[in-house]
Amino acid sequence: MAIDPQVYRPEAELLTLGDGFFDPVAPADFPETRLRFRNDRAAAQIGLDTLTDDEWTRHFGRFSPLPDTLSKPLALRYHGHQFRNYNPDLGDGRGFTFAQMRDEGGRLMDLGTKGSGQTPWSRAGDGRLTLKGGMREILATEMLEALNVPTSRTLSLIETGEELQRGDEPSPTRSAVLVRLNHSHVRIGSFQRLAYERDEAGLRTLVGYTLRNLYDENSDDPVRLLDLVVSRTARLAARYMAAGFVHGVLNSDNINVTGESFDYGPWRFAPTWDPAFTAAYFDHQGLYAFGRQPEAIHWDVMQMAVALRQIAESDPLVAALDQFGPRYQPEVTEAILWRLGVRPRDPDTDRDLVQATERALRTSSVGIDRFFFDAFGGELPGTYDEPWAEVRAALAAYEPRKDRSHPYWAGEPCSMLIDEVEAIWAPIAEHDDWRALNAKVAAIREMGEALAE
């Protein structure tokens, strides 16, 4: 087998949680497996980039076990609030954790699936993923990675030869199975399930597992865990805002305790800085609108605090939870300065610049990506008049963190608005032509190189 033994470091830490946290399942037996996307850049970090295409398809389409890790796929159990309504009937309904390993930095990583078949938690679902949904997840994860948002990465997409019926896209539509690379699939909803079942021993076990394996801390202190989750999720919320990204479904079962964005359904990038912009057609109240995402994530973390109340005192949990706002503010300042391509100065001056930028974006019709492209390095073009005078004056005092010599800056800003998503899908649906997708992934990665430190 063509696995790089110098990099591949298999693990099976998930098994230490015990049988009550997951259910062994069998993957679907698909009619066919046609490799459509393999992310060798991500695979290289876990020693799997040397797999042949046949080996890749066998592991990530047929789910033949990888060496020395999980011997069977495991569907994780969890609950969660969905649009603020508690649902105890959740769990991995069309996915499972397939393997664990260390990346090149020593972090424990999960390989999780989407569209891999039915599980005990599928309810009335078919356990499948549409090919279009898989393509959209590739675009979301590539774009967010380039924009410095902590995210899962799409490792693999394989078309599986089934016709699916869906109410939200023309049907029948093509099927696929996706594999994502994540630091973890432990969710806030994982803790909520244990609290709902009044399983204090299970809560303590999961706290210890999370601290040791995901935060590298030899502790089982639930207050310490909540404090860390507050920091990571505040950073996630801030970077969503700087990226102009709207997740669409920020339910507590979709919030990873490591603060990584994942599980992309009705996502969108906002064209302009419109706080009311929503991604999900069914979000009628705008609960997860662009400008409400920090509030939504904070509310989800509050549910983790409620769950941990069974094994910890209220006052220290509340004190940790109350740090979300104070930690979010410097995180959003740092994230927007990063997109502006300037070095921080001092907290008050930096905050003033960020607030001026947000005001100008709200009151103008300039696109988010257009503005950050033009302003990168700290100098606004002359075409930016009112209401940009305050931003221009503030930027003049800043030093660029990187110059504009990369070829990316000679072109146009790389965006990912919904019309382009549809335009990339159309040739795949009509002619099985993947050139537009491959070209877009290359363009996104070029942008990432231009923005990176």
Side-chain angles (χ1 to χ4, degrees):
M1 182 179 296
I3 287 178
D4 186 347
Q6 302 301 314
V7 182
Y8 180 68
R9 297 168 57 192
E11 295 280 5
E13 289 295 327
L14 195 58
L15 298 177
T16 66
L17 286 170
D19 295 342
F21 289 83
F22 45 71
D23 295 275
V25 294
D29 184 12
F30 297 115
E32 63 181 60
T33 49
R34 299 181 66 190
L35 179 58
R36 295 303 195 177
F37 176 79
R38 59 178 284 171
N39 187 343
D40 281 324
R41 185 170 68 170
Q45 297 182 359
I46 52 173
L48 298 179
D49 57 314
T50 52
L51 291 173
T52 67
D53 281 354
D54 285 345
E55 290 170 334
W56 186 282
T57 302
R58 187 166 70 250
H59 289 302
F60 303 137
R62 299 299 180 189
F63 297 100
S64 173
L66 287 164
D68 303 318
T69 177
L70 304 178
S71 60
K72 293 182 179 180
L74 302 176
L76 303 184
R77 302 176 183 178
Y78 50 84
H79 291 179
H81 279 87
Q82 299 186 306
F83 287 84
R84 305 281 167 93
N85 296 306
Y86 193 76
N87 188 345
D89 297 319
L90 298 177
D92 282 337
R94 58 172 175 168
F96 47 65
T97 301
F98 170 62
Q100 290 187 301
M101 64 278 296
R102 301 281 171 183
D103 69 7
E104 58 189 3
R107 293 193 310 161
L108 182 66
M109 306 297 290
D110 290 350
L111 292 184
T113 65
K114 192 172 184 178
S116 51
Q118 292 179 314
T119 78
W121 310 105
S122 297
R123 295 176 285 170
D126 60 13
R128 268 48 173 186
L129 170 70
T130 67
L131 183 64
K132 183 178 183 181
M135 179 216 71
R136 294 180 77 256
E137 187 145 337
I138 291 169
L139 293 173
T141 54
E142 290 285 336
M143 194 73 177
L144 290 175
E145 183 181 358
L147 291 173
N148 204 32
V149 178
T151 179
S152 65
R153 285 179 289 171
T154 304
L155 186 74
S156 172
L157 183 68
I158 292 175
E159 189 169 0
T160 55
E162 296 177 316
E163 292 188 343
L164 305 179
Q165 298 293 327
R166 293 292 185 266
D168 56 355
E169 61 180 277
S171 295
T173 188
R174 293 150 71 178
S175 62
V177 63
L178 178 145
V179 176
R180 70 165 71 99
L181 180 65
N182 248 59
H183 187 23
S184 172
H185 285 81
V186 176
R187 312 150 190 258
I188 288 175
S190 306
F191 291 87
Q192 290 181 278
R193 179 185 73 86
L194 297 165
Y196 180 89
E197 296 178 352
R198 306 198 67 80
D199 184 356
E200 293 187 8
L203 276 169
R204 294 184 190 281
T205 296
L206 188 57
V207 166
Y209 172 91
T210 304
L211 283 168
R212 285 189 295 275
N213 290 293
L214 308 181
Y215 284 100
D216 296 321
E217 296 208 2
N218 187 21
S219 171
D220 58 4
D221 181 1
V223 176
R224 175 59 178 161
L225 176 58
L226 182 66
D227 184 68
L228 291 164
V229 172
V230 164
S231 294
R232 292 286 186 89
T233 53
R235 181 182 67 176
L236 174 63
R239 295 193 184 179
Y240 273 170
M241 298 305 291
F245 181 72
V246 188
H247 184 281
V249 192
L250 290 175
N251 297 328
S252 62
D253 60 299
N254 286 339
I255 304 296
N256 186 312
V257 295
T258 58
E260 284 176 295
S261 178
F262 79 120
D263 205 8
Y264 298 98
W267 60 267
R268 295 271 188 99
F269 282 89
T272 60
W273 199 277
D274 176 6
F277 180 83
T278 57
Y281 68 88
F282 47 81
D283 187 3
H284 303 297
Q285 306 303 316
L287 184 63
Y288 299 144
F290 175 52
R292 296 184 67 182
Q293 290 184 118
E295 169 202 339
I297 292 173
H298 186 204
W299 191 92
D300 288 328
V301 179
M302 189 186 307
Q303 306 320 303
M304 183 170 179
V306 171
L308 293 174
R309 176 62 187 86
Q310 291 196 15
I311 58 172
E313 295 298 321
S314 293
D315 287 350
L317 290 171
V318 170
L321 188 65
D322 285 347
Q323 289 301 304
F324 187 94
R327 292 178 188 174
Y328 170 79
Q329 291 303 325
E331 288 285 0
V332 77
T333 298
E334 179 182 322
I336 289 179
L337 291 181
W338 184 88
R339 278 210 81 179
L340 285 167
V342 297
R343 298 189 184 282
R345 294 185 63 205
D346 65 77
D348 291 339
T349 304
D350 295 343
R351 185 170 58 250
D352 290 345
L353 170 59
V354 166
Q355 290 174 349
T357 298
E358 290 179 343
R359 282 194 298 270
L361 281 167
R362 273 200 310 272
T363 56
S364 77
S365 59
V366 176
I368 294 173
D369 298 317
R370 175 86 259 174
F371 164 71
F372 282 117
F373 181 91
D374 291 343
F376 189 86
E379 187 173 344
L380 273 178
T383 52
Y384 283 77
D385 46 24
E386 292 297 332
W388 297 98
E390 185 181 7
V391 177
R392 185 190 308 281
L395 277 172
Y398 281 80
E399 295 181 1
R401 67 170 176 85
K402 196 173 182 181
D403 64 31
R404 296 175 66 104
S405 61
H406 191 282
Y408 170 72
W409 302 111
E412 289 294 309
C414 182
S415 297
M416 195 69 266
L417 303 182
I418 188 63
D419 288 347
E420 186 174 5
V421 176
E422 295 299 325
I424 291 170
W425 169 247
I428 297 173
E430 296 166 11
H431 312 296
D432 204 32
D433 183 348
W434 292 76
R435 287 176 296 178
L437 175 68
N438 294 332
K440 189 62 182 184
V441 169
I444 292 169
R445 291 182 177 183
E446 181 186 48
M447 177 183 68
E449 292 171 0
L451 291 172
E453 295 294 342

